Amino acid sequence: MPFCINCGQENPDVAKFCLACGTPIATAPAAAAAPPPVETRSEERRLVTAVFTDIVGSTATAEQLDPEDVRARLAPYYAEVRRELELHGGSVAKFIGDAVVALFGAPIAHEDDPERAVRAAFALTRAVEQLDKSDDWLELNIRTGINTGEAIVVLGSNPGEDIGEAAGDVMNTAARIQGGAPINGIVVGELTHQLTKHAIEYREAEPVIAKGKAEPVPIWEAVQARDAPVRREVRRGTLVGREEELGKLLALWETVRRERVPGMATKIGSPGIGKSRLLE
């Protein structure tokens, strides 16, 4: 209950003037409202692998169904596809109708993202087949296109969990080449094939004539994943601008050889910058 600073009279909380002497009641300034948190977003150029999965013949099927039935048909499909992609380290970027777009390499990058993407595609294809067996009404068939390349990735305030959007030809090409896959099949682009042929068995497929491409896009059909680990082929090439770092490593190695004592060097960097090539 506020007191009048002039006469000491107690006043009710709603009083703006003292009931005894009429002096204005001094009130404490209201605490300033905390501004809403500002989401920080950043753009990064990354080497990513895009996965584009689409249901075959969904448009014709949807025309014969009520919208609620369409949603009920797609809900378990979305759940299974998201689960398999995330289990293999991917992130679902968006759902477009009955198509799912996912990224490997953003927001979290791994050394073997292209291989993870192809293995995830095999897993989600099996998951959809199991869905069909559990409910004959679903009748889901899919095609998957996978492509690796550079993209500008917009990351949210938590780069480890949140991904905003990605832009680059790698995304469009993944969507274009999926049309060249057989029903319940998987096709990959050239760079994905190069980076994963040590771990995935492929057969060459008919190039895809893609909208906006001057030449047909070469693709390979993924046949099966090899269970036994196979050492991947190291991309050959010269490391540019690393003379000082290479000198330190070679000097350390010479010390180990000369003095017969252990030595250790730690190399840290984003996937794709040449760590494995350096070790080779």
Side-chain angles (χ1 to χ4, degrees):
M1 182 173 290
F3 289 82
C4 176
I5 60 174
N6 184 48
C7 66
Q9 172 68 36
E10 290 186 357
N11 291 274
D13 292 336
V14 296
K16 297 185 182 301
F17 298 90
C18 177
L19 298 180
C21 68
T23 301
I25 300 295
T27 57
V38 178
E39 182 184 9
T40 58
R41 297 170 70 84
S42 61
E43 292 186 358
E44 292 185 11
R45 179 187 292 268
R46 290 199 182 187
L47 182 71
V48 300
T49 299
V51 178
F52 190 98
T53 297
D54 198 11
I55 296 178
V56 179
S58 59
T59 302
T61 303
E63 288 179 347
Q64 304 171 23
L65 297 175
D66 183 84
E68 292 187 1
D69 291 332
V70 173
R71 179 179 176 82
R73 182 171 180 259
L74 293 179
Y77 158 73
Y78 285 150
E80 287 297 317
V81 171
R82 178 187 287 275
R83 183 175 69 88
E84 294 297 343
L85 290 167
E86 292 181 348
L87 279 175
H88 286 78
S91 300
V92 175
K94 64 182 73 174
F95 294 101
I96 309 172
D98 50 22
V100 180
V101 183
L103 287 182
F104 286 76
I108 299 175
H110 307 87
E111 189 76 17
D112 57 347
D113 278 316
E115 181 182 339
R116 286 170 177 260
V118 180
R119 291 185 180 274
F122 279 120
L124 67 88
T125 300
R126 291 192 295 268
V128 171
E129 290 174 350
Q130 290 301 316
L131 272 180
D132 284 345
K133 292 178 180 178
S134 67
D135 192 339
D136 295 337
W137 175 72
L138 292 176
E139 296 183 355
L140 298 173
N141 294 291
I142 62 174
R143 290 191 180 100
T144 302
I146 304 174
N147 193 47
T148 302
E150 287 191 341
I152 300 298
V153 180
V154 180
L155 300 177
S157 54
N158 188 342
E161 298 177 358
D162 185 26
I163 180 171
E165 57 191 58
D169 184 64
V170 60
M171 311 291 292
N172 299 330
T173 302
R176 297 282 188 266
I177 66 174
Q178 67 86 25
I183 294 177
N184 294 322
I186 304 160
V187 296
V188 306
E190 187 170 10
L191 184 53
T192 307
H193 173 254
Q194 291 178 3
L195 296 175
T196 61
K197 60 184 180 181
H198 67 284
I200 310 295
E201 181 182 337
Y202 290 102
R203 58 171 164 254
E204 194 167 356
E206 189 72 22
V208 173
I209 300 176
K211 181 180 179 182
K213 296 288 187 180
E215 300 291 338
V217 180
I219 60 173
W220 286 260
E221 181 185 351
V223 178
Q224 64 179 3
R226 299 189 177 100
D227 293 330
V230 179
R231 186 174 181 84
R232 70 174 183 171
E233 180 181 340
V234 178
R235 285 183 290 170
R236 302 300 175 185
T238 302
L239 294 174
V240 178
R242 297 296 183 186
E243 289 79 7
E244 181 181 353
E245 292 86 349
L246 286 170
K248 289 179 179 178
L249 288 175
L250 292 172
L252 176 61
W253 173 238
E254 289 302 323
T255 300
V256 170
R257 291 182 59 190
R258 182 177 62 254
E259 300 182 8
R260 311 297 293 175
V261 295
M264 183 179 72
T266 303
K267 186 173 186 299
I268 301 173
S270 302
I273 67 170
K275 296 189 298 296
S276 298
R277 201 176 345 157
L278 175 63
L279 292 175
E280 189 75 9

